Amino acid sequence: MSKLKNYWKFRGIPGPPTTYILGNLHEHLNIKRVNVLQLKDWTKKYGKLYGMLEGERKMLITTDLDLLYEVFVKKSDIFHGRRLTPLLGNVDDYSNFLVNVFNARGNRWKRLRTLANPIFNVVTLKTILPTVQDSVNECLKYIEEKEGKPINAYPFFQEFTIDVISRIALGQTSSAYFNNEYLDIVRDVFEKRRETFGELLGFIFPFFVPILKSVAFYFQLSTAKYFTKAYGKLNKAVRERKMLRESASALKDMEFLDEKQRIDFIDLFLDLETSNIKEENAQPFDKTKIKIEKKLSTYEVVAMCFVFLLAGYDTTATSIGYFVYLLAKNPEAQKKIQEEIDSICPNHEPTYEDLQKFKYLEAAIKESLRLYPLAARAASRQCMETTTINGLKIEKDVYVTADVFTIHYSKEIWGKDSEEFKPERFLNIDEKRHPMSWLPFGAGPRICLGMRLAYMEEKAFIIGLLKKFNIQKTANTPENLQLFGALVVAPESVDVKFVQRF
Ligand code: HEM
């Protein structure tokens, strides 16, 4: 026990004092303090590289960009696991129905990622864009009703992103604003915005996780309740789609087959479904040699839909929320985006090619993600095989985590004005930065799968919004945002008003 408590001390690595059993969990999971900001405080105190414990989990926290590059990029075949909630159980177990591309590792991750990658290629994105645009227009109708009034705009952004993901991934055929069947479920998962007591137990007693998980699902406790609801709905949607496909192909129903041209991820995944996956998930994992079986189990079809629902909704809504808040505070930046709109698509909705021309808008989105890297918590890797990097021995099962907030606010990297919103810093192509200095989407082969979709949604939404409205501060707009959350770090509300432009 004392060996674990002093694990980092024995290795000469500094860090916050640990206690028996909890390690640093009591501070790290303190609900009054966002844990990624806690890491920032510790970095200030202990420097570029320090160690901490989450129960039995050994964590190395670092802002050393070269070390991060080795871990996330160069040695990604050794660091291919993620830091996950202990309640997920064994992610290498093929009967674990919760495993998806976000939480899988090794060969299984490689297969899921290879199969999911084409979903976000240019051809698919172009097919999706009209649906995204239609969802933007629907959302603007609701925003119009609140024109000129001080509002909390965050729920509108959540409605928008859940509408998009439900329509492109989950079989919903038209917009369902303020009536989306998934929203209440996923909102609960995120709005809890902190680890549960069950997770805490899972960290401390990892060997009890199978029992904890069964109890949580049996009695429908906490997050298990929302997972059950979401999986129930998704299972139903997938089952119904399978039946429809079977009857459609039996009848050679041309109308349905045409409908399939409209991209829906359920169909893409069902095309790959099989009852039998033959795969070795043994270590070490050789990212170059493995042969990919182009198949998904039925569990995985549902789990893939689930991860898109979960990963694609709150992240993008929150990102739009921060951006709108920053634009309210920076009318000059708004004006520059409106100038871009007026020159690129004054009288038509932007095409995919138009979206690529919005250089200032893109720089401003990047800058907002620098100031608010909302999913910083995900930038972590599990070492799957003891290795040495630049003289530092990292043992199997140690987690290496990037302190993204410190990196994103570093004056060394971003200059004296690192606290300010300045999109121009992303326009200057001569300004060379380390590849790990901007990490809102993570890095390496496990970088965010939905990044291109997120950009497309955010650009289309902001273009639609700023074409019609100016965003203004209200008496409730705070000077500094109070942040909350665990999985995704979010503002409590986005208090602004939208004022008709013309
Ligand atoms: C602004 C919006 C978003 C942000 C800031 C964001 C951020 C992140 C981050 C930090 C990671 C971890 C990357 C790493 O470990 O290196 C991640 C992974 C992931 N994201 Fe996103 N994300 C966003 C939108 C989306 C969307 C729209 C989707 C899908 C619809 C999505 C799907 C995923 C998936 C599937 C992974 C796991 C990738 C893997 O492990 O191979 N994300 N995201």
Side-chain angles (χ1 to χ4, degrees):
M1 199 66 107
S2 134
K3 231 169 124 188
L4 177 66
K5 180 177 176 294
N6 293 310
Y7 181 85
W8 295 115
K9 207 169 171 186
F10 287 146
R11 283 156 185 78
I13 293 182
T18 52
T19 63
Y20 287 108
I21 303 179
L22 290 175
N24 303 101
L25 271 179
H26 53 306
E27 294 151 288
H28 197 46
L29 300 186
N30 177 355
I31 57 166
K32 295 202 185 101
R33 184 94 184 103
V34 173
N35 50 46
V36 281
L37 296 179
Q38 173 67 67
L39 296 185
K40 194 172 172 224
D41 290 351
W42 279 333
T43 297
K44 218 167 173 186
K45 198 157 174 190
Y46 302 106
K48 255 186 160 173
L49 180 76
Y50 63 90
M52 57 163 283
L53 298 174
E54 284 186 329
E56 287 201 342
R57 270 191 200 171
K58 300 158 203 132
M59 314 269 297
L60 261 181
I61 317 296
T62 186
T63 50
D64 179 334
L65 303 187
D66 293 334
L67 174 60
L68 287 172
Y69 190 72
E70 290 285 326
V71 168
F72 280 73
V73 183
K74 281 176 102 174
K75 289 201 167 183
S76 58
D77 50 343
I78 291 177
F79 294 88
H80 56 82
R82 277 190 186 287
R83 177 199 175 279
L84 301 166
T85 163
L87 291 187
L88 270 178
N90 180 2
V91 290
D92 298 330
D93 174 0
Y94 280 75
S95 66
N96 186 345
F97 67 96
L98 297 172
V99 179
N100 54 51
V101 64
F102 184 85
N103 53 36
R105 57 191 182 190
N107 295 344
R108 192 179 193 180
W109 165 76
K110 179 75 185 169
R111 174 172 53 84
L112 297 178
R113 177 88 193 201
T114 307
L115 298 179
N117 267 339
I119 284 176
F120 297 109
N121 66 24
V122 176
V123 177
T124 321
L125 288 178
K126 279 187 182 176
T127 321
I128 289 170
L129 182 58
T131 310
V132 173
Q133 197 57 61
D134 192 56
S135 283
V136 171
N137 295 340
E138 279 299 307
C139 191
L140 291 177
K141 287 185 198 159
Y142 289 93
I143 287 182
E144 196 136 26
E145 288 171 14
K146 305 282 177 192
E147 197 273 326
K149 297 185 188 131
I151 53 165
N152 169 18
Y154 196 16
F156 292 89
F157 311 147
Q158 292 176 319
E159 290 286 344
F160 164 63
T161 56
I162 197 97
D163 196 59
V164 170
I165 208 74
S166 304
R167 292 178 69 182
I168 63 173
L170 308 173
Q172 188 180 297
T173 47
S174 58
S175 275
Y177 274 86
F178 298 96
N179 194 22
N180 188 297
E181 54 173 351
Y182 290 108
L183 187 56
D184 284 343
I185 303 170
V186 285
R187 209 179 242 162
D188 278 336
V189 174
F190 286 100
E191 283 191 356
K192 189 166 57 65
R193 298 199 186 286
R194 60 187 166 83
E195 262 89 352
T196 61
F197 181 63
E199 275 173 312
L200 195 67
L201 289 178
F203 272 118
I204 303 169
F205 308 112
F207 36 91
F208 280 148
V209 162
I211 300 172
L212 283 171
K213 205 168 132 186
S214 310
V215 171
F217 275 97
Y218 186 79
F219 291 105
Q220 291 292 289
L221 304 175
S222 185
T223 316
K225 187 164 78 191
Y226 309 119
F227 273 50
T228 307
K229 272 199 212 162
Y231 268 79
K233 277 194 187 302
L234 289 171
N235 263 318
K236 188 164 161 266
V238 170
R239 243 190 352 257
E240 284 174 1
R241 183 57 62 93
K242 269 168 87 168
M243 276 160 51
L244 197 61
R245 284 160 61 103
E246 276 157 20
S247 56
S249 63
L251 295 170
K252 300 231 177 329
D253 182 340
M254 287 319 288
E255 200 181 325
F256 171 70
L257 295 177
D258 279 351
E259 264 286 283
K260 265 190 70 184
Q261 301 305 316
R262 199 174 51 80
I263 292 292
D264 189 322
F265 298 170
I266 296 184
D267 272 314
L268 298 180
F269 295 143
L270 278 174
D271 288 344
L272 302 165
E273 192 198 13
T274 180
S275 54
N276 186 16
I277 301 278
K278 292 190 209 96
E279 188 168 65
E280 287 273 306
N281 216 16
Q283 311 302 337
F285 143 70
D286 180 345
K287 64 177 176 181
T288 55
K289 287 202 187 122
I290 61 166
K291 189 171 151 273
I292 308 286
E293 207 187 348
K294 295 212 160 168
K295 295 281 175 229
L296 290 174
S297 73
T298 310
Y299 279 153
E300 287 168 349
V301 171
V302 179
M304 287 291 243
C305 293
F306 181 68
V307 76
F308 287 128
L309 174 64
L310 218 56
Y313 141 74
D314 203 42
T315 46
T316 315
T318 305
S319 173
I320 295 176
Y322 285 127
F323 191 33
V324 164
Y325 163 78
L326 287 165
L327 290 176
K329 287 183 44 174
N330 293 278
E332 277 307 305
Q334 251 183 93
K335 229 167 117 201
K336 287 186 187 160
I337 298 169
Q338 284 168 333
E339 280 163 18
E340 268 189 336
I341 298 172
D342 296 345
S343 84
I344 298 169
C345 50
N347 303 314
H348 64 274
E349 283 173 355
T351 61
Y352 185 81
E353 288 70 22
D354 286 338
L355 292 181
Q356 314 317 308
K357 296 180 197 152
F358 278 85
K359 298 294 176 214
Y360 186 84
L361 172 59
E362 185 162 323
I365 294 175
K366 286 184 173 161
E367 177 69 343
S368 72
L369 284 165
R370 180 184 71 81
L371 290 172
Y372 297 109
L374 51 108
R377 180 69 176 274
S380 188
R381 293 289 183 273
Q382 181 183 10
C383 177
M384 307 303 293
E385 197 191 331
T386 301
T387 186
T388 300
I389 299 178
N390 305 335
L392 173 73
K393 184 172 170 191
I394 304 178
E395 286 182 319
K396 182 172 181 309
D397 284 336
V398 165
Y399 291 79
V400 179
T401 295
D403 172 2
V404 178
F405 267 84
T406 299
I407 296 170
H408 280 198
Y409 283 82
S410 160
K411 295 206 181 334
E412 238 172 83
I413 301 171
W414 302 100
K416 283 205 288 289
D417 57 0
S418 68
E419 309 266 331
E420 286 167 33
F421 177 72
K422 238 180 96 183
E424 288 71 14
R425 62 178 104 240
F426 284 96
L427 287 175
N428 186 356
I429 45 167
D430 296 333
E431 227 172 283
K432 292 271 173 282
R433 288 188 203 101
H434 194 290
M436 303 302 279
S437 52
W438 185 76
L439 297 168
F441 293 104
R446 292 204 82 152
I447 193 168
C448 174
L449 181 65
M451 181 171 74
R452 294 214 256 171
L453 173 64
Y455 272 129
M456 188 171 91
E457 277 184 64
E458 194 159 340
K459 280 183 178 175
F461 187 84
I462 295 294
I463 291 168
L465 189 70
L466 286 183
K467 207 173 206 176
K468 281 195 157 175
F469 304 103
N470 291 317
I471 308 167
Q472 290 183 2
K473 286 199 285 186
T474 72
N476 294 333
T477 314
E479 196 41 46
N480 292 304
L481 283 175
Q482 182 78 22
L483 305 187
F484 296 86
L487 278 177
V488 168
V489 179
E492 184 88 318
S493 62
V494 178
D495 294 298
V496 291
K497 65 180 170 187
F498 300 111
V499 177
Q500 204 82 37
R501 219 179 130 194
F502 301 109

